[in-house]
Amino acid sequence: MKNNLSFEVAKKIFFYAEDGNLYRRRESPSKIITRVFTKTVEVFGRGYPTSKVAWCVLYGEYPKETVFFFSGEDGNFKKENLYMKPIYSNEVDIVENIDFFRKVVSYDSETGKLSIINNTRIGCFETKKAEGYMAVSLFGQHLYSHRLAWILFYGEQPKHFIDHINGIRSDNRIHNLGEIYSLIDESI
């Protein structure tokens, strides 16, 4: 038995409206269409995450990864609000997914602080490593904060190592970060 919902089945059962709502068609004499509000929907006795069903209806295939809502509002199925999380690995290309990361992570270049954006709440998710550097864990990937700050600010990977100009490894203000060609400790 196939685990994923096919596009053909999803299109017969669900309708996506441009106003960002997902509707379920009901087979009845009046053909009532009902707006979907729940986190899961049942199709032929099996439950599916509503966000994945919306993705399937919008893009023509059932998503392999988790689909989530940028606004934090379950039920806001507008195209720009649905995103698939990047692949869980240490090989996530932040630059390739820069628009995604800029909607999920806030970087204040004046203070050097990184924050995770969740709806209207912004919460800190940085931790200080033993060697003094700040680090983040984002979608299963561990990154040094100074590298993520550089990428978010400039929109590209640094070409060389990043150095803290004032020597304070936890100071990730953009004017304190500079590229250098080599380090004594090349593990950073």
Side-chain angles (χ1 to χ4, degrees), residues 9-37:
V9 171
K11 271 297 213 190
K12 286 179 184 173
I13 298 173
F14 299 96
F15 169 77
Y16 170 77
E18 290 302 318
D19 64 359
N21 291 315
L22 184 69
Y23 296 91
R24 183 178 189 133
R25 304 174 206 272
R26 300 278 186 203
E27 288 301 322
S28 68
S30 59
K31 296 202 177 194
I32 297 171
I33 297 176
T34 309
R35 183 172 173 211
V36 176
F37 289 100

Side-chain angles (χ1 to χ4, degrees), residues 136-155:
V136 297
S137 180
L138 193 60
F139 304 119
Q141 183 175 0
H142 302 290
L143 305 161
Y144 282 104
S145 296
H146 56 277
R147 294 189 67 78
L148 181 57
W150 184 278
I151 294 167
L152 290 171
F153 190 81
Y154 293 111

